[in-house]
Amino acid sequence: MTAAHTAPDALSAPTPAGSPPARAGVAAGASLTALAWMAFFMADVRDGLGPFLATYLQTQRIDQTMIGIVLSAGGLAAMAATPLAGAFADRTRAKRALVAVCALAVLGASAIAFLTRSPSLLVLSQVLTGAAGAVLAAALAALTLGLARSTGLRHQTGRNEAYSHAGNIVSALGAAAFAHWMGAPWMLVVMTAMAVGALA
C-alpha cells in the first residue's frame, strides 16, 4: 500500500532546477529570445534603404521614371529570389554565416546607391538588396524552424514579427534623425548598427 501511495508523489515531484531537462529548457528559451532580437535588428538591414531611397534620389534630381525602375528592380529581384533563397537556406548548415554575408551585401549595395548616379549601378544596387533581403528572410525562417520546431513555430514566428515591426520603427526614427541633421548618407550608420546587433 505504501508503494502505491508514494508512486504518484514521485511522478509529480518537481524537476530540480539544475537537472538536464531544466537547463535545456532555459537554454532553448534564451536561444529563442536571441532569435527574436535578431529579427528586431534584421528588420532594417533586410529592407535596405526602403522608402528613403526614393526621397534621396529625388533630391539628387534623378528622373522620376528612373526612380520607379530602380525601386521596381529591387522588388522584382526579391520576388524572383524568394523560392531559391528558401531552398538554399534550408540546405545550408552555416545559416549565421549566410546572414552575415547577406547583411554585408545589403550594406554595400546601399552605399553604392549613395555614391553613384549611374542608372545601371542604381538598378544593380537594388537588385542586390532585394535578393539579399530575400535570403535574410529565408535564413531567419529556417533558424526559427530549427530552434522552435514545428510545435513552437507559430508562436515564435509571431514573436519574430512583433520584434521586427518594433525594429522597423526604431530604425526608421533613427534614419530620419540622421538624414535630417547630418544628411541622407548617414543613414548607413543606423543600418550598420542594426547589422552589428543582428550578428552579435
Side-chain angles (χ1 to χ4, degrees):
M1 295 294 293
T2 302
H5 286 292
T6 56
D9 294 336
L11 290 174
S12 61
T15 302
S19 65
R23 288 196 298 269
V26 171
S31 297
L32 292 175
T33 298
L35 184 63
W37 278 109
M38 177 184 282
F40 174 90
F41 288 109
M42 196 188 293
D44 180 57
V45 180
R46 183 181 60 195
D47 295 335
L49 295 173
F52 292 105
L53 178 61
T55 303
Y56 172 73
L57 293 179
Q58 286 179 344
T59 64
Q60 299 302 301
R61 301 179 185 241
I62 301 295
D63 181 70
Q64 292 287 338
T65 302
M66 191 64 231
I67 293 175
I69 293 173
V70 169
L71 297 181
S72 297
L76 291 173
M79 187 184 306
T82 296
L84 298 175
F88 182 69
D90 286 339
R91 290 186 178 184
T92 184
R93 294 183 178 180
K95 291 180 175 57
R96 288 187 62 85
L98 182 63
V99 169
V101 170
C102 290
L104 291 174
V106 173
L107 287 173
S110 298
I112 290 174
F114 283 128
L115 294 174
T116 185
R117 294 185 183 180
S118 166
S120 58
L121 287 178
L122 286 171
V123 169
L124 177 62
S125 73
Q126 292 314 291
V127 167
L128 183 58
T129 297
V135 177
L136 283 173
L140 181 62
L143 286 169
T144 301
L145 179 59
L147 291 173
R149 304 299 180 183
S150 58
T151 54
L153 179 62
R154 182 178 298 180
H155 172 75
Q156 185 62 31
T157 300
R159 189 182 184 191
N160 289 350
E161 285 300 314
Y163 274 68
S164 180
H165 290 313
N168 273 323
I169 293 172
V170 171
S171 62
L173 291 174
F178 270 95
H180 178 73
W181 295 108
M182 304 184 72
W186 283 88
M187 290 189 293
L188 287 174
V189 173
V190 178
M191 291 184 64
T192 301
M194 297 293 276
V196 171
L199 301 175

